Each structure stands twice: as C-alpha cells, then as structure tokens.
Amino acid sequence: MVLFLLVSSQLAAIGLAQNTEAGADLIGVGASSVRSLYGRMFEVYNQEQAVSVDYSANGSGAGRRETLAQAVDFGTSDAFLSDEQLSSVPIDPTTGEPNRILHIPVAVLNVVPAYNFAPIFETPAEVRFSGSVLADIFLGNIIRWNDPAIQSLNPNLRMPDLPITVVTRADSSGTTSIFVDYLAKVSDQWASDISQGPRSSVPWPAGFGGQGSGEVAEIVEATPGAITYVSLDFARRTGLGIGIMQNSTGNFVQANASSLAEAANIDLPEDFRATFTNTSAPGGWPIAGFTWLLVYQNQDYQGRISGRAQATLDLIRWMITDGQQFQDEFGNGQITGSTRESALQLLDTVVYGDQALR
C-alpha cells in the first residue's frame, strides 16, 4: 500500500538512520503534479518487490528543500535545482567535495490551461489559446472570456460573456516553473515585468493562489469562469476544459504523448537540467518539461546503510524502465531512447562511500 504522508525533516532523518532490508520503506517528497503517477508506480513496485514507498506530494519546492537537507531517500521536482542551490549541497564525506545531486528524468510533463465554463457549456469546450493571449490572461490584461483576442482564435465557439478568474499556485511549484518559463518566451511584457526563465514562484499580477496542483484544480472546478495551469492528469480527473495551444510554428496542438515526444526531442546536457518550452517542433506541445527525481551520487549520508542505498537505486532504475508503462494512463510522456540510456548511465555512477552499487 502506498502512503502519502506529511514527512518532516526530523522524522525523515530518523527514518534514514534505520536499517533497510529488502522489504523496508523508502521516503520521498516532492511534486504534486505526478502524485497519481507515482502512486501507481509505487503500488505496483510494492506488489512486485515488497518495497513500500512513503511519498509526500507537498510540491516541488518541498522536494528540493528536503533533498538539500538530506532528509529523504529521494526528492522529486518539476523544476531543476539552480546553480546557486547546488552550491550549498552537503560535503561528500568520502571525497571531501560537494556531494553531487543527480537529476533523473522520470516523465515528460505537460502543463495545460484548464478552465471551467459550467454551467455555460454542459461539456467543456476545447478553447484555442495562443501564447500571447494566455500571457495576457495571467497578466490581467484580458479579463473576460468573450474578449476579441480569445474570440478570434475560436471562430467556431461563441465565447461566454463571463469574467475570467485567474487561479495560480501560491506555493513553490515546478509546474509554475514550466509555465512561467513559457510565458516569458512568448510575452515581452511578462519577461520585462514579471520574470524570465524557470521560476518556482513569481509575483502574480492577477488572480489568487492555492496550495498544490490538487487545490488549484478544485478551486477552478468550483468557480465558473476560472482558469489555471495544471498537469493534464489533474485537468482530466477534475473534468475541467483543456485548452488547445498554438505553438511557435503556428500549429494548434493538443497535449498528448505524441506532442510531448516532439517537444522533448532535443539535445540534452549531461546533467539533464534543461527546459524545452515554446518548442519549434511542428507538432510539439509548447508548455512541457521534465519532472525529475533528485538523488545523491554518494548514498552514504545521515546514517544510511548500503542496503537502503541499494533499495533506492533499484527503485529509480525500475521507475525509468518498467515503470514507464504507466505514463500514458496519466497523460505524461515516456522517458525513452537515448534519454533513458543516458539516465541509466548516470545512475551507474551512484556509490555508497567508496563502493559501487549494483
């Protein structure tokens, strides 16, 4: 059984000090966008390997924070650790150098504009957005759904005369990081006035915030005329309208496995810290990015034993190989081909002290 627990640094540190044999628990904290995906993965892994995982979906910010504190077996995040954050990693007791944190891509995540027209439309309409229109909505420049800029993109829909309620993430969020990275690329005003590049939190100029992907989706579900940005999985499960995006080539595309694969088909750096929003691929989904698993290269920390380190490494390898079969179920893109092979090679560098792990 998979447990979603609120794990404090103190409790996690105690957990890491405990002996871990084949059937013992592992502790993870991080992204809420992949709560359902990881729940499915960990449930199946427990059935197959008798290893349970306590995963707390407190957001990407928590995943990065608890990883840096060495309080968990692994963290997860939809935003990579910055150079500044990596400069503060703990020292590797074996080498005397900073203990490297590896970014292992686990899924290609799509972020979609999700909205609620109920009771205007019985069935959520597929509304078309351009990058500039979406940015203007979240900048507060467009405040009604029948604004000419939206209506012109949707000539086959009669857009409702309904106020737009913008709902954003109030917590440190990897989903936000992907979304605002995109907005800065498609809106000069956003780039000059709000933020540039991937940012886990920004001073939102419009709307109000909620904690976690689940809460913002629930707020939109309860608010006619509301719009937010969430993973496709959350939008589907709450029955929200899911936008169609015009990408940088001018094509209108839907968020699916094919459009995600096109967006992620880029040359990647060795450490996998890369963004690929606003893709130039003709069929690529423009608001996409990796969700990463964060793990220390040297697993000898906080009293861990080698068995716990090996259990952690075995889980991660399974997640990016056999575990990829569950991605389609949750609307994510798989880690395949050279990306998977490079990730597995990076995992081969994980050690426990001066000993290589299997």
Side-chain angles (χ1 to χ4, degrees):
M1 178 179 181
V2 180
L3 303 177
F4 293 95
L5 303 177
L6 177 63
V7 182
S8 69
S9 297
Q10 181 180 6
L11 289 176
I14 292 172
L16 293 185
Q18 295 175 340
N19 193 340
T20 297
E21 300 299 340
D25 292 343
L26 298 174
I27 298 171
V29 175
S32 62
S33 60
V34 285
R35 179 199 304 264
S36 298
L37 169 67
Y38 285 174
R40 182 82 167 103
M41 283 184 170
F42 299 153
E43 179 183 21
V44 172
Y45 192 73
N46 186 30
Q47 292 170 352
E48 293 182 358
Q49 302 297 329
V51 174
S52 63
V53 181
D54 294 344
Y55 182 69
S56 179
N58 289 346
S60 294
R64 297 190 300 276
R65 182 174 62 251
E66 296 298 290
T67 299
L68 287 168
Q70 295 188 328
V72 289
D73 293 295
F74 62 88
T76 73
S77 178
D78 305 336
F80 58 73
L81 287 158
S82 66
D83 289 343
E84 181 179 2
Q85 289 170 319
L86 289 175
S87 69
S88 63
V89 298
I91 296 299
D92 182 333
T94 302
T95 66
E97 300 293 329
N99 192 358
R100 184 183 180 192
I101 295 177
L102 306 182
H103 289 69
I104 306 300
V106 179
V108 184
L109 184 70
N110 48 38
V111 177
V112 300
Y115 44 86
N116 176 15
F117 286 158
I120 306 300
F121 299 133
E122 291 184 5
T123 302
E126 289 186 330
V127 177
R128 292 183 170 192
F129 296 92
S130 66
S132 60
V133 164
L134 196 60
D136 277 341
I137 290 172
F138 281 83
L139 283 164
N141 297 336
I142 294 176
I143 61 174
R144 301 192 74 82
W145 282 104
N146 64 343
D147 186 284
I150 301 177
Q151 186 62 73
S152 65
L153 293 171
N154 296 274
N156 296 325
L157 291 177
R158 183 177 180 181
M159 301 305 298
D161 184 10
L162 187 68
I164 297 175
T165 301
V166 172
V167 183
T168 62
R169 288 284 291 273
D171 55 329
S172 178
S173 160
T175 308
T176 295
S177 179
I178 295 171
F179 188 62
V180 301
D181 183 56
Y182 172 69
L183 295 185
K185 292 176 180 178
V186 297
S187 168
D188 291 340
Q189 182 183 353
W190 188 279
S192 63
D193 294 353
I194 309 301
S195 68
Q196 296 183 33
R199 295 277 298 278
S200 297
S201 60
V202 298
W204 293 103
F208 58 95
Q211 297 288 326
S213 296
E215 183 172 301
V216 297
E218 289 171 1
I219 293 171
V220 174
E221 185 182 17
T223 310
I227 186 171
T228 191
Y229 55 95
V230 289
S231 67
L232 180 60
D233 176 47
F234 270 100
R236 283 175 173 173
R237 287 194 290 113
T238 49
L240 298 176
I242 299 168
I244 295 174
M245 289 299 304
Q246 185 178 43
N247 64 21
S248 64
T249 67
N251 294 327
F252 287 96
V253 295
Q254 294 180 321
N256 54 40
S258 176
S259 62
L260 285 175
E262 282 201 48
N265 186 23
I266 63 169
D267 292 330
L268 293 167
E270 183 269 341
D271 64 4
F272 291 109
R273 292 191 303 154
T275 65
F276 40 87
T277 55
N278 201 34
T279 176
S280 59
W285 180 253
I287 322 175
F290 284 134
T291 185
W292 292 272
L293 194 146
L294 310 174
V295 63
Y296 280 95
Q297 190 169 45
N298 186 352
Q299 288 282 294
D300 184 9
Y301 63 89
Q302 293 287 13
R304 292 164 66 82
I305 64 167
S306 60
R308 190 177 194 101
Q310 186 66 61
T312 301
L313 188 61
D314 290 344
L315 170 67
I316 299 171
R317 283 178 173 149
W318 182 90
M319 290 174 73
I320 63 173
T321 53
D322 292 354
Q324 291 298 298
Q325 65 185 294
F326 305 111
Q327 299 287 10
D328 289 350
E329 182 179 342
F330 301 101
N332 302 317
Q334 294 191 29
I335 302 301
T336 61
S338 61
T339 300
R340 178 190 293 183
E341 292 305 312
S342 296
L344 289 170
Q345 290 172 13
L346 192 57
L347 286 173
D348 286 342
T349 70
V350 175
V351 297
Y352 180 81
D354 58 1
Q355 300 176 0
L357 294 174
R358 298 191 303 274

